[in-house]
Amino acid sequence: MTQAPAATRATRRQHDREIVMLAVPAFGALVAEPLFVMADSAIVGHLGTAQLAGLGVASALLTTAVSVFVFLAYATTAAVARRVGAGDLQAAIRQGMDGIWLALLIGATVIAVVLPSAPALIDLFGASDTAAPYATTYLRISSLGIPAMLIVLAATGVLRGLQNTKTPLYVAVSGFVANGVLNVGLVYGAGLGIAGSAWGTVIAQWGMAAVYLVVVVRGARRHGASLRPDTAGIRASAQAGAPLLVRTLSLRAILLIATAVAARLGDADIAAHQIILSLWSLLAFALDAIAIAGQAIIGRYLGADDPTGARAACRRMVQWGIAVGVVLGLLVILSRPLFLPLFTSDPTVKDTALPALIMVALSQPICGVVYVLDGVLMGAGDGPYLAGAMLVTLAVFAPAALLVPTFGGGLTAVWGAMTLMMTVRMLTLLLRARSGRWVVTGATR
């Protein structure tokens, strides 16, 4: 009678250790990434308003271009982790190399599109006549770093699949520091202005990519894995990533719709919405770190032909997601008197944001379940289901959000629609998790 509970506690402790060891460094790396843009903004902001406005437009385009291809990290993590679980490290690293080659091909294609079309893209985003030249300069130079960032995504997936999230943390922090030093030196020391900021970021990005490539190449040589591009492997990586691309685009559409609706409500509403959205994104990093741990752990269990271990790890991570969500929600409620004044002194904006902020706080346990199960199903290679579920979610969210200006409710109603969106995601993911259809064992799905 006492051994079973003791065994259960031991299993939980094992899962807890794994989750913490993978999630904490992953969280640090995730937080370090947006600091690139913040550092650039702080440095360029002292050059002038037009330069900062140009940076804002160009950064939005670059962030979108990179985030759309985040499947390079997700799909690679799952595929590599499966082979690690199966005990075939050579095939694991070979799979990772396929993802890196795919990243390089996509990056080259993006450069070929962005360089000649940069002025048109900037104009499409409505940049002013004074900001447009700076935005075009920054976008053209910074686009040269896109292949590096995509290589970083794919290589990060390789290391996560190998159950290593510490190296990505070290690389991200080092890249952030290098980016800041280079920007200051090139913008002010060399007098290159906004072009110096772009070149500093590009150099830092390629430096990060070089470090990752050294780590992966060493692993490939150690385990006898080929470094040459393999057409079939690259095609398989693209096919695995395609459903996740659909998922990501659907999520981006949801965020764009929410922002567009908030903008129609008035200046105070869109200002409050941007404040809340920034907080929502920060909270997502904490939950996404658990999801990253889920990708690596679940993939390894399934690759090791251990469905029981995969299900147990899934249950434990869901408990973690709920617990972290509750803690985050409480922190939001308790810190709201301090949080809002950091972003605005306008009482109208504060009054508009407050009820929507409480809505965000209450939804955090739901978000915890969503992020964790998202990671579990990614780790299982269940991309087609995730794509379909996100399209269903988009179909539910879009009319609910677009009707807000008609039926009223203001920004609180917009974030009510966002909570509805997360609830629909949770239900679709719970249905899949409980069905057990994601539990497909073996080195490949």
Side-chain angles (χ1 to χ4, degrees):
M1 293 293 291
T2 58
Q3 290 186 354
T8 300
R9 287 196 296 272
T11 301
R12 287 180 177 175
R13 284 196 296 270
Q14 177 187 346
H15 288 151
D16 291 345
R17 284 194 297 270
E18 286 186 323
I19 292 168
V20 171
M21 287 178 63
L22 291 171
V24 172
F27 174 70
L30 288 169
V31 171
E33 290 172 10
L35 292 178
F36 269 81
V37 176
M38 291 180 64
D40 287 1
S41 298
I43 294 167
V44 171
H46 292 285
L47 294 175
T49 301
Q51 289 90 331
L52 183 59
L55 173 67
V57 173
S59 294
L61 284 164
L62 290 164
T63 301
T64 299
V66 173
S67 64
V68 162
F69 300 111
V70 73
F71 70 83
L72 289 166
Y74 294 159
T76 304
T77 298
V80 171
R82 274 185 176 269
R83 286 162 175 77
V84 169
D88 192 347
L89 289 178
Q90 182 186 66
I93 296 176
R94 174 64 262 179
Q95 179 73 45
M97 285 304 306
D98 292 335
I100 291 173
W101 280 112
L102 176 61
L104 191 58
L105 290 173
I106 293 174
T109 303
V110 173
I111 287 180
V113 172
V114 171
L115 280 178
S117 63
L121 290 171
I122 295 301
D123 184 62
L124 184 65
F125 264 61
S128 67
D129 291 340
T130 54
Y134 297 112
T136 301
T137 297
Y138 191 90
L139 180 60
R140 278 181 166 159
I141 297 172
S142 294
S143 68
L144 301 177
I146 289 177
M149 291 309 295
L150 298 186
I151 289 172
V152 166
L153 284 176
T156 299
V158 176
L159 296 181
R160 288 173 181 171
L162 294 170
Q163 319 296 296
N164 176 2
T165 57
K166 289 184 179 179
T167 299
L169 171 61
Y170 301 149
V171 175
V173 172
S174 300
F176 168 69
V177 173
N179 178 63
V181 172
L182 286 166
N183 271 307
V184 171
L186 293 174
V187 171
Y188 298 114
L192 296 180
I194 195 169
S197 176
W199 280 118
T201 301
V202 168
I203 294 169
Q205 288 167 342
W206 276 107
M208 293 169 65
V211 172
Y212 273 116
L213 289 175
V214 168
V215 173
V216 174
V217 167
R218 284 179 178 174
R221 289 175 176 171
R222 188 182 310 120
H223 297 287
S226 174
L227 298 173
R228 294 180 180 178
D230 176 66
T231 304
I234 294 172
R235 188 184 303 114
S237 294
Q239 290 173 345
L244 296 180
L245 176 60
V246 173
R247 167 199 167 275
T248 301
L249 290 173
S250 300
L251 183 57
R252 298 292 299 184
I254 287 169
L255 296 177
L256 286 172
I257 290 171
T259 300
V261 172
R264 290 179 61 188
L265 297 176
D267 290 347
D269 293 88
I270 187 60
H273 176 74
Q274 289 302 113
I275 293 171
I276 295 171
L277 191 60
S278 66
L279 175 64
W280 196 69
S281 300
L282 179 61
L283 298 172
F285 285 137
L287 298 172
D288 204 25
I290 305 174
I292 288 169
Q295 293 171 30
I297 293 170
I298 294 298
R300 191 190 72 231
Y301 273 116
L302 294 177
D305 197 20
D306 186 359
T308 302
R311 289 190 181 94
C314 175
R315 286 193 297 271
R316 190 57 178 162
M317 281 183 284
V318 169
Q319 293 169 357
W320 267 82
I322 294 171
V324 173
V326 169
V327 171
L328 292 176
L330 290 173
L331 287 175
V332 170
I333 291 174
L334 293 174
S335 65
R336 68 187 189 280
L338 301 174
F339 173 75
L340 289 175
L342 291 176
F343 290 86
T344 182
S345 58
D346 188 331
T348 304
V349 174
K350 290 180 183 179
D351 291 342
T352 302
L354 186 57
L357 197 62
I358 293 174
M359 183 77 70
V360 169
L362 295 176
S363 69
Q364 286 310 296
I366 296 173
C367 294
V369 175
V370 168
Y371 276 85
V372 167
L373 290 181
D374 216 32
V376 166
L377 296 185
M378 283 183 191
D382 206 10
Y385 181 84
L386 289 172
M390 189 59 79
L391 287 172
V392 169
T393 302
L394 174 59
V396 173
F397 169 80
L402 293 172
L403 288 172
V404 168
T406 301
F407 290 98
L411 188 64
T412 304
V414 173
W415 279 95
M418 290 287 284
T419 301
L420 171 65
M421 178 270 293
M422 294 303 291
T423 302
V424 173
R425 286 185 70 186
M426 181 182 70
L427 293 175
T428 58
L429 296 174
L430 282 172
L431 285 173
R432 188 63 167 182
R434 291 178 177 176
S435 74
R437 293 178 183 175
W438 58 277
V439 184
V440 179
T441 58
T444 59
R445 183 177 172 87

